[in-house]
């Protein structure tokens, strides 16, 4: 699980933005058709390496010393960028039907020259936190890209659209986004209580009896709330649980 928090939204010159990016870092240059020009998605090395380590099956630890990304790591960053741009596409849906596309990937910000150094840009900065590790991410939209849609971004327009009541289109959009929302689902197979001494003496091959039998109905939790009952089993050679009942809100303990 990762926490993402927006820390600032400001206007800055392109040279000011580039000078504030660490070197090396993970930079993805992307286009935003039908809008003109290219934009930047940048993820600091302080958090990109824990993300890469986690994606590749590790515990998500950072590097002891920052370095440039390897070819394999750049491929992983590219896949992460694709998912981030898909979310960006959804966020901009009410403004413009854009289809972001990756143009290039860079490590040194000095090698990325989107616009003139004095060109003004919209810079969004985020803080990403994964367990005890955190780092920054930023998105840069040059004025050239936003010029065609600036009238649609006015406060008055957004306030008017937000107070205009629900329409079939907005309800459909909300429903579609809710259907795509990912939530953690867990199954509790049983519980037990051990003393500290018993835990210290555990070794490979030991069996810990639980308070549930093989035929007991399991509790299925969605976001730590008990929502279903189920039976354990195997499906396509994988451990599975079959939903056998639905927990009603008024019947929960």
């Amino acid at each position: 699980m990762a926490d993402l928090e927006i820390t600032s939204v400001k206007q800055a010159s392109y040279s000011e933005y580039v000078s504030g990016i660490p070197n090396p870092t993970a930079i993805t240059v992307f286009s935003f058709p039908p809008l003109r020009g290219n934009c930047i998605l940048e993820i600091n090395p302080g958090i990109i390496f824990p993300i890469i380590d986690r994606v590749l099956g590790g515990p998500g630890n950072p590097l002891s010393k920052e370095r440039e990304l390897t070819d394999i790591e750049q491929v992983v960053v590219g896949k992460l960028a694709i998912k981030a741009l898909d979310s960006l596409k959804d966020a901009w849906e009410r403004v413009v039907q854009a289809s972001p596309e990756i143009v290039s990937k860079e490590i040194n910000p000095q090698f990325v020259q989107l616009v003139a150094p004095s060109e003004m840009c919209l810079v969004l900065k985020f803080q990403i936190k994964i367990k005890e590790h955190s780092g920054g991410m930023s998105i840069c939209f040059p004025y050239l890209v936003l010029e065609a849609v600036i009238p649609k971004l006015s406060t008055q327009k957004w306030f008017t659209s937000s107070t205009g009541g629900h329409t079939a289109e907005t309800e459909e959009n909300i429903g579609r986004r809710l259907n795509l929302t990912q939530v953690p689902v867990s199954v509790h197979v049983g519980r037990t209580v051990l003393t500290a001494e018993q835990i210290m003496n555990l070794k490979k091959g030991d069996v810990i009896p639980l308070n549930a039998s093989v035929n007991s109905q399991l509790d299925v939790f969605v976001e730590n709330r008990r929502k279903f009952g189920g039976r354990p089993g195997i499906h396509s050679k994988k451990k599975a649980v079959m939903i056998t009942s639905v927990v009603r809100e008024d019947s929960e303990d």
Side-chain angles (χ1 to χ4, degrees), residues 221-235:
F221 290 78
V222 179
E223 284 282 5
N224 297 321
R225 292 179 63 87
R226 186 165 64 93
K227 291 296 183 182
F228 307 100
R231 300 284 184 185
I234 300 293
H235 179 73

Side-chain angles (χ1 to χ4, degrees), residues 86 90 93 172-183:
D86 286 341
D90 293 339
E93 194 173 74
E172 182 181 351
N173 289 336
I174 293 173
R176 184 172 66 254
R177 294 180 182 180
L178 286 176
N179 287 334
L180 296 176
T181 302
Q182 296 183 354
V183 293

Side-chain angles (χ1 to χ4, degrees), residues 18-75:
V18 171
S19 64
I21 298 178
N23 183 15
T25 189
I27 297 175
T28 301
V29 179
F30 65 95
S31 61
F32 212 46
L35 303 182
R36 296 186 302 157
N38 295 332
C39 311
I40 288 178
L41 169 66
E42 177 267 334
I43 307 177
N44 290 182
I47 193 63
I48 192 62
F49 284 108
I51 293 176
I52 292 173
D53 186 55
R54 185 67 176 171
V55 170
L56 295 179
N61 293 330
L63 295 179
S64 57
K65 183 178 181 181
E66 294 180 0
R67 56 165 174 77
E68 294 186 356
L69 297 169
T70 65
D71 291 341
I72 293 178
E73 290 168 342
Q74 290 193 49
V75 172

